[in-house]
Amino acid sequence: MLNAGFAAASVLALLTFTVHTFVGGVYVVRPLLAVEGLSRASRWLNYYCWHMTTLTLLVMTAMFAYSALEPAARGFGVLFTALAASFSLLCIAVAIKGGVRPWRFPATSLFAAVAAAGIWGLST
């Protein structure tokens, strides 16, 4: 039987991946790589961290899908629900520290939506 909450979390994680990759690539990565004030190492370490998120989102999508289809994989649903919630909270904390409204960063609401769907999946 399909776990609808984990299936929804998988779709939302894929949506987050898509926004991250195609919108963020244009509005975040390109400007980041063009910044002259950062050292070369700092710029490319940020680029590396960007792609760590890209890979994490792909794995999150796959593991939520697996959890949706296989009840024995529920632990992956637990793990990635916790990660999505943590990423949303981290985004809020970073935004506040930077003097930016948290909802200005798409990651805040996208990861919150993934976490909410994951919680739905955990409740079934």
Side-chain angles (χ1 to χ4, degrees), residues 7 31 41 43 48 53 56 123:
R43 188 176 2 195
Y48 166 73
T53 303
T56 300
S123 70

Side-chain angles (χ1 to χ4, degrees), residues 20-21 24-25 28-29 45-55:
H20 169 80
T21 301
V28 178
V29 174
L45 183 59
N46 278 285
Y47 186 69
Y48 166 73
C49 290
W50 180 268
H51 286 296
M52 284 176 52
T53 303
T54 305
L55 290 173

Side-chain angles (χ1 to χ4, degrees), residues 32-36 38-48:
L32 172 68
L33 293 177
V35 170
E36 294 294 327
L38 291 175
S39 70
R40 176 185 282 256
S42 179
R43 188 176 2 195
W44 288 101
L45 183 59
N46 278 285
Y47 186 69
Y48 166 73

Side-chain angles (χ1 to χ4, degrees), residues 58-110:
L58 285 174
V59 172
M60 182 179 283
T61 298
M63 293 297 98
F64 271 128
Y66 182 40
S67 297
L69 296 169
E70 177 56 58
R74 182 178 179 84
F76 289 118
V78 172
L79 171 65
F80 285 100
T81 298
L83 277 175
S86 297
F87 291 163
S88 182
L89 293 172
L90 177 62
C91 193
I92 291 168
V94 167
I96 290 169
K97 184 173 177 82
V100 178
R101 283 176 281 151
W103 303 114
R104 168 72 177 82
F105 294 147
T108 301
S109 55
L110 289 168

Side-chain angles (χ1 to χ4, degrees), residues 14-32 50 54 57 104-107 110:
L14 182 61
L15 172 67
T16 303
F17 164 81
T18 303
V19 170
H20 169 80
T21 301
F22 298 106
V23 178
V26 171
Y27 293 102
V28 178
V29 174
R30 285 183 189 164
L32 172 68
W50 180 268
T54 305
L57 285 165
R104 168 72 177 82
F105 294 147
L110 289 168

